[in-house]
Amino acid sequence: MFFVLVEKGLLKEVLDQALEKGGDFADIFVEYKKTTGISLEGGRVERVHSGTDVGAGIRVVSGDTTSYAYTNDLSREGLLQAAGIVAHAFSGPRKECSLDLRRLRPVVEFTIAERPDEVKTEQKARAVQEADRAAREAGGDRIKQVIATYGDVVQKVVMANSRGEYVEDERIRTRFAVQVVAAEGSLIQTGYEAAGALAGFELLKEHQPAAMAEVAARRALGLLEARPAPAGRMPVVMSGEAGGTMVHEACGHGLEADLVQKGLSVYARKKGQKVAADIVTVIDDPTLPGRYGSYRFDDEGVPARRTVLIENGELTDYMYDRVTASREERESNGHGRRESYQHKPIPRMGNTYVAPGKMDPEEIIREVKNGLLVKKMGGGQVNTTTGDFVFDVAEGYLIVDGDVGPMVRGATLAGNGPEVLRNVRMIGRDLGFTIGTCGKDGQGVPVSDAQPTMFIGELVVGGTGHAGSKGKVKRV
């Protein structure tokens, strides 16, 4: 049951105090967050930690100026003191505002089947131990290290603002990850697998720790036997299993309104223009059930909504918070997010993905004579101003005469986001998600991204092998 963090009467006092010396808008974000984390390394549970953080952030906006303060003192004196601090950033007449605090209702509901705060720590610890055993059984002596981590967050928030809006919300997220290191002689390779969702402990029934560990171990062991990746320009098939890392980095960040308005995005001033192939549609939808980047309300109290960013190749919208939306005299589309009460909200992604097409993924591979199949993406970086990116390939295979050939290691992908989107030639009907914590301006928020199987006409592949090398075909 949701418990009251701060009484409505006190919230009204705080907002009134924050606007005492002027300002166009004021809001308060009150947070109670309980976290649990368990990590295993070297066959032993090395760390079990839990903690609770409580506090409030108060903001006043006037034109392009924002004043923000936070406190972990939720007493009347503590909150009014913080409100007084943000108020003193302005000097002007008080503006009329609505403080009736009407409670907003979400447009979507999510169900938590097994609350993690009601699950015993011992049961959570058994999950990382199961992963360790499964990984070692999968690879024997070649498995040198297994790191398994479990984490959950129960976050309760209250948001109120000078428009008279009031929101109560609870977010519960659970995640699990396994990293396996395999070695043979002097060669060392790593496999990784992770799952996470806006869900409770039931996540580990859908994504069983042992099965995830076996996948990570198989990936690491496969890389020991893989050949060096070829280098050069070549066709690339991005499997749906690869997840949406590329769309998140090479496209998603560039569609966040603050970067667009600062001229730091390659997509600035291109609304209504063609920025991708006709078959490409890009969506951010935090209302998807059970996804790691899902939410009922963003961190400004705006109801979550599905936003089509690129439709049939045409740029149709950006992701806005309240501040960036007000600069264009429009309403926010629910993408104001923050890491905690200690951070002010900024435009962020939720669940970003390329919409699926109609083709069979295997048919797409058969259409490609020779190239690279990417089944899992690694880390990377992108320059949002130019759209240029470089990504590691965690699991990749050569495509030989339209079939899946030998596994390769050490591959990287380099290209330009808009050019890649314009060079998408085929899209599958599948859709594969990956999870992560997205960093921006010193803040991290949970996100999910996805894509279907896609054929990209040409990308620069970095590697140490020879571009023309072929090998025996095998099914994977």
Side-chain angles (χ1 to χ4, degrees):
M1 181 178 292
F2 198 93
F3 60 90
V4 176
L5 297 175
V6 177
E7 295 286 350
K8 277 190 177 183
L10 179 53
L11 292 174
K12 294 178 182 180
E13 276 191 78
V14 171
L15 291 171
D16 189 61
Q17 173 76 18
L19 290 171
E20 183 181 21
K21 297 182 179 297
D24 301 323
F25 175 81
D27 64 2
I28 179 171
F29 177 89
V30 188
E31 175 185 30
Y32 167 92
K33 181 163 62 178
K34 182 178 180 180
T35 59
T36 300
I38 299 175
S39 59
L40 175 146
E41 187 172 351
R44 297 174 54 189
V45 176
E46 292 287 344
R47 188 181 180 200
V48 178
H49 63 92
S50 62
T52 302
D53 197 10
V54 180
I58 302 169
R59 175 178 61 164
V60 176
V61 179
S62 180
D64 286 333
T65 302
T66 296
S67 177
Y68 190 77
Y70 65 87
T71 178
N72 59 8
D73 181 358
L74 297 188
S75 69
R76 180 176 181 275
E77 293 74 17
L79 291 173
L80 289 176
Q81 181 181 16
I85 291 172
V86 294
H88 278 84
F90 305 97
S91 58
R94 177 193 294 272
K95 291 189 177 180
E96 292 296 324
C97 61
S98 172
L99 293 177
D100 56 339
L101 298 189
R102 308 172 306 277
R103 182 172 179 178
L104 300 183
R105 301 293 177 180
V107 296
V108 62
E109 285 290 354
F110 303 117
T111 301
I112 304 298
E114 194 171 0
R115 293 182 62 95
D117 50 353
E118 297 176 357
V119 175
K120 292 182 178 180
T121 303
E122 292 80 5
Q123 190 174 350
K124 300 173 182 179
R126 283 198 294 272
V128 296
Q129 292 167 335
E130 289 172 13
D132 179 76
R133 285 194 298 271
R136 296 185 186 279
E137 289 173 1
D141 293 340
R142 291 193 294 173
I143 302 298
K144 303 303 181 184
Q145 184 184 52
V146 179
I147 300 174
T149 58
Y150 166 89
D152 60 56
V153 177
V154 178
Q155 181 196 39
K156 302 173 189 289
V157 297
V158 166
M159 294 170 276
N161 62 47
S162 56
R163 292 185 177 182
E165 297 167 338
Y166 174 85
V167 168
E168 292 179 358
D169 196 19
E170 182 178 55
R171 297 92 173 257
I172 294 178
R173 288 186 173 89
T174 304
R175 66 188 184 279
F176 193 88
V178 188
Q179 178 177 291
V180 178
V181 178
E184 193 164 46
S186 61
L187 184 61
I188 300 174
Q189 296 294 324
T190 301
Y192 180 80
E193 188 72 6
L198 188 79
F201 199 70
E202 69 270 15
L203 173 76
L204 272 61
K205 294 178 181 176
E206 180 179 355
H207 302 274
Q208 296 182 357
M212 292 177 61
E214 290 168 2
V215 170
R218 176 190 61 78
R219 190 166 289 134
L221 293 168
L223 288 170
L224 290 178
E225 301 174 0
R227 63 175 59 189
R233 293 182 176 273
M234 64 185 71
V236 172
V237 175
M238 301 286 295
S239 168
E241 296 176 48
T245 301
M246 181 174 291
V247 70
H248 176 97
E249 296 288 357
C251 174
H253 277 300
L255 297 174
E256 292 168 337
D258 54 343
L259 296 178
V260 171
Q261 292 174 351
K262 293 173 184 175
L264 299 177
S265 168
V266 69
Y267 297 102
R269 297 178 298 278
K270 290 186 178 178
K271 191 179 289 188
Q273 298 181 27
K274 281 283 186 180
V275 296
D278 290 344
I279 58 175
V280 174
T281 293
V282 178
I283 298 166
D284 191 280
D285 188 359
T287 70
L288 295 176
R291 295 300 170 190
Y292 200 51
S294 296
Y295 48 86
R296 298 176 185 84
F297 295 92
D298 73 0
D299 294 323
E300 297 181 298
V302 178
R305 68 192 71 177
R306 178 179 184 269
T307 303
V308 179
L309 303 167
I310 298 172
E311 186 170 17
N312 299 327
E314 179 183 318
L315 179 57
T316 56
D317 208 352
Y318 301 115
M319 288 172 277
Y320 292 87
D321 64 353
R322 289 186 189 268
V323 170
T324 53
S326 67
R327 291 178 185 146
E328 299 182 21
E329 298 183 344
R330 57 166 289 169
E331 291 295 316
S332 166
N333 54 16
H335 286 89
R337 304 187 67 193
R338 67 181 99 200
E339 181 177 327
S340 74
Y341 69 89
Q342 299 179 28
H343 305 83
K344 66 180 182 180
I346 53 178
R348 305 298 298 270
M349 287 173 273
N351 301 310
T352 313
Y353 63 96
V354 176
K358 298 180 180 179
M359 291 191 67
D360 183 337
E362 291 188 3
E363 180 185 348
I364 292 176
I365 295 173
R366 288 195 294 269
E367 290 288 326
V368 181
K369 182 172 177 59
N370 294 293
L372 180 71
L373 171 65
V374 179
K375 295 200 78 173
K376 193 73 175 179
M377 293 289 289
Q381 57 186 0
V382 63
N383 182 331
T384 58
T385 305
T386 63
D388 295 332
F389 64 81
V390 178
F391 295 113
D392 295 325
V393 177
E395 182 180 352
Y397 300 82
L398 293 179
I399 298 175
V400 182
D401 295 328
D403 214 331
V404 180
M407 190 178 190
V408 295
R409 64 171 180 261
T412 61
L413 299 178
N416 177 272
E419 289 180 8
V420 167
L421 292 180
R422 284 192 287 266
N423 205 13
V424 174
R425 299 181 182 177
M426 289 179 274
I427 293 183
R429 56 174 176 254
D430 56 337
L431 191 64
F433 282 83
T434 50
I435 70 164
T437 299
C438 176
K440 177 182 174 183
D441 291 357
Q443 300 188 43
V445 297
V447 296
S448 183
D449 39 61
Q451 64 164 61
T453 297
M454 298 193 304
F455 170 46
I456 300 166
E458 185 180 80
L459 272 175
V460 175
V461 177
T464 58
H466 299 290
S469 60
K470 295 185 179 181
K472 186 179 178 180
V473 172
K474 63 176 180 180
R475 285 292 176 187
V476 294

